[in-house]
Amino acid sequence: MSSILNRRDWLKSGLLASTGIVLGQSSPALAARPTSFGVLDVYAEREMELAQEALLAAAPQIKARLSSNENPWGPSPAAIKAISEAAPKAFLYAGAITMELRKAIAEMNGVTPDQVLLGAGSSELLMASLMMAATKGKVMIAETCYISGRDAREDGATMKMDRVPLTKDYQYDLDTMSTRVNAETALIYICNPNNPTGVMLPSEKLKSFCDTVSPKSTVLVDEAYIDYAPTPATDSMVECVRKGQNVLILRTLSKLHGFAGLRIGYALGQPALLKDLRKYCSGGFTVSTTSAAAAIASFKDKAFQEMVLKNTLESKKFLYDTLKAMDYTYLPSSANFVLFPIKMKGQMLLQKMMAEGVSVRSWSFDQQDWCRVSIGTMDEMKAFKEAFAKSIS
């Protein structure tokens, strides 16, 4: 048998490689693990990105990459300097620096270090959370959200999802979700602000939901875009963790901090829950010395973060004004992207935009095709405006 696995086979192998787990076959945790999550949207999205990368490479001129919700202004100079200074010590395992990073994250969030779990981006921790839940029951999600693809395998095995449609204004239907929780519900996934809609739940309503539901089932709040929220400190559900509730929060530095290629994420939760989660991920071992040093420096660079937020809001307003002028509506976004309904098939728009050197994303739900545009620099948004005008003419 060939020892070489292609990417699709690797995905179907159970994602153990993606979570950095190396365990003996006698491990009860390994025996209980699901065998595949390869067709969840979190991976379907990456497949789409890879396809777009190929199209972009063939485009005559790349003007704007607006398909992956990246931060075009980061990482900060302080983070880059920290990478350079940490590089000579990269031959050492990152235990000491990752411990320092955990302490910094705990202090920032008003929790203890044993309530922090690191990962190579939040995707590792999200996949681990889903694998953990799959051994216990169903995962409740909204339709549509970041992981609202099909069930994990086409043969119906392993991953079971309970899907609750969004409300008419594209909010999570927390009332319905609350009534649907039962003994089979192992995990409730809420992405806030939501991807791909950009819509955010009122914090008090979500906190009330967590108060009611977390004693019955773990509530996972994916806060990948929380830094773009109106008031991140109070919009976050970290207060629920401080109160000892069964709430798991996932964060990433891929957005505001510009770490998409540096891979730093973390989970906040109760020590017992994180101990369980560690069985399905690397427990922070996949975090590199240089990335950890950069993260510590980036957290301290408040001026850079403020600049990114200011520029993001300016570019977002330009996009809003552009869409209004072209007679397009949009969903008001609390993230670094905007979703709006389009008047042609999504794939057709992607191809036309790519021909102009601009990459965007498309979705189809609620009997409608949609376009999602990541917020870029002002020059990139102007490139979008020009390309979009040509594409719809």
Side-chain angles (χ1 to χ4, degrees):
M1 180 182 295
S2 172
S3 62
I4 300 174
L5 291 175
N6 64 32
R7 188 173 188 276
R8 187 170 300 278
D9 290 338
W10 175 77
L11 285 172
K12 290 182 178 180
S13 71
L15 299 182
L16 296 183
S18 76
T19 54
I21 299 169
V22 182
L23 294 174
Q25 290 297 322
S26 61
S27 166
L30 180 60
R33 280 192 184 131
T35 57
S36 175
F37 291 94
V39 297
L40 285 172
D41 255 6
V42 64
Y43 281 97
E45 174 155 336
R46 184 59 187 143
E47 293 287 356
M48 174 72 78
E49 288 174 356
L50 290 170
Q52 288 182 328
E53 294 280 359
L55 289 172
L56 275 169
Q61 182 181 5
I62 307 306
K63 299 176 183 177
R65 176 185 166 114
L66 305 176
S67 53
S68 301
N69 298 344
E70 296 153 335
N71 169 10
W73 297 282
S76 80
I80 294 172
K81 181 182 178 183
I83 291 172
S84 178
E85 292 175 349
K89 295 183 179 179
F91 68 96
L92 299 172
Y93 285 113
I97 190 70
T98 55
M99 185 179 298
E100 184 181 345
L101 177 56
R102 283 178 61 209
K103 290 179 179 178
I105 291 170
E107 184 177 345
M108 284 188 328
N109 289 280
V111 299
T112 55
D114 63 349
Q115 291 178 301
V116 180
L117 181 64
L118 298 178
S122 61
S123 294
E124 175 189 359
L125 299 168
L126 175 57
M127 287 295 97
S129 301
L130 294 174
M131 290 200 292
M132 178 179 67
T135 67
K136 301 176 181 180
K138 294 183 179 180
V139 175
M140 183 180 292
I141 65 170
E143 189 75 64
T144 299
C145 70
Y146 183 51
I147 62 170
S148 58
R150 293 172 290 168
D151 284 349
R153 282 174 53 184
E154 293 174 356
D155 62 9
T158 68
M159 190 70 175
K160 296 180 180 179
M161 289 190 171
D162 184 7
R163 304 167 187 276
V164 180
L166 296 172
T167 63
K168 291 182 179 180
D169 55 353
Y170 300 102
Q171 287 274 14
Y172 277 77
D173 189 346
L174 296 182
D175 292 337
T176 298
M177 294 178 88
S178 181
T179 61
R180 292 255 291 260
V181 174
N182 56 42
E184 292 186 81
T185 308
L187 184 75
I188 303 163
Y189 175 82
I190 295 175
C191 186
N192 193 49
N194 192 25
N195 182 12
T197 64
V199 175
M200 186 162 190
L201 283 160
S203 59
E204 290 306 316
K205 186 171 184 179
L206 182 52
K207 286 176 184 175
S208 178
F209 175 82
C210 291
D211 289 344
T212 302
V213 174
S214 63
K216 308 172 187 176
S217 176
T218 300
V219 180
L220 189 163
V221 185
D222 186 341
E223 294 186 345
Y225 301 94
I226 196 67
D227 292 314
Y228 298 98
T231 53
T234 54
D235 290 329
S236 170
M237 293 299 108
V238 69
E239 179 186 332
C240 298
V241 176
R242 297 189 198 115
K243 290 164 59 176
Q245 293 180 349
N246 185 25
V247 173
L248 180 65
I249 293 173
L250 300 187
R251 302 257 186 85
T252 180
L253 276 72
S254 295
K255 311 307 174 183
L256 180 66
H257 294 270
F259 276 42
L262 288 170
R263 313 310 302 139
I264 293 282
Y266 61 93
L268 303 174
Q270 304 313 316
L273 177 60
L274 297 186
K275 182 179 180 181
D276 196 9
L277 186 61
R278 283 177 64 96
K279 300 173 186 176
Y280 302 88
C281 65
S282 71
F285 189 74
T286 50
V287 173
S288 71
T289 297
T290 49
S291 293
I296 293 169
S298 189
F299 283 138
K300 296 176 182 177
D301 196 345
K302 302 299 183 184
F304 185 83
Q305 296 169 41
E306 291 170 4
M307 179 276 291
V308 171
L309 289 172
K310 178 177 177 293
N311 289 351
T312 300
L313 288 174
E314 289 176 355
S315 289
K316 189 187 294 185
K317 183 180 184 304
F318 179 89
L319 177 58
Y320 285 165
D321 292 343
T322 294
L323 294 175
K324 288 177 184 175
M326 296 182 181
D327 196 29
Y328 278 78
T329 59
Y330 55 84
L331 298 184
S333 171
S334 295
N336 67 334
F337 57 85
V338 174
L339 186 76
F340 64 97
I342 54 179
K343 303 169 185 178
M344 67 176 74
K345 291 296 183 181
Q347 286 301 313
M348 181 180 295
L349 176 63
L350 294 190
Q351 292 172 8
K352 289 186 174 184
M353 294 290 287
M354 199 69 76
E356 301 296 327
V358 177
S359 68
V360 292
R361 281 292 312 273
S362 69
W363 262 266
S364 180
F365 63 90
D366 198 23
Q367 300 181 327
Q368 171 68 54
D369 280 69
W370 303 76
C371 175
R372 190 194 71 186
V373 182
S374 303
I375 301 302
T377 65
M378 192 58 74
D379 285 343
E380 288 175 321
M381 303 319 295
K382 290 176 180 177
F384 167 82
K385 179 179 179 179
E386 182 179 349
F388 189 62
K390 291 181 180 179
S391 298
I392 63 175
S393 62

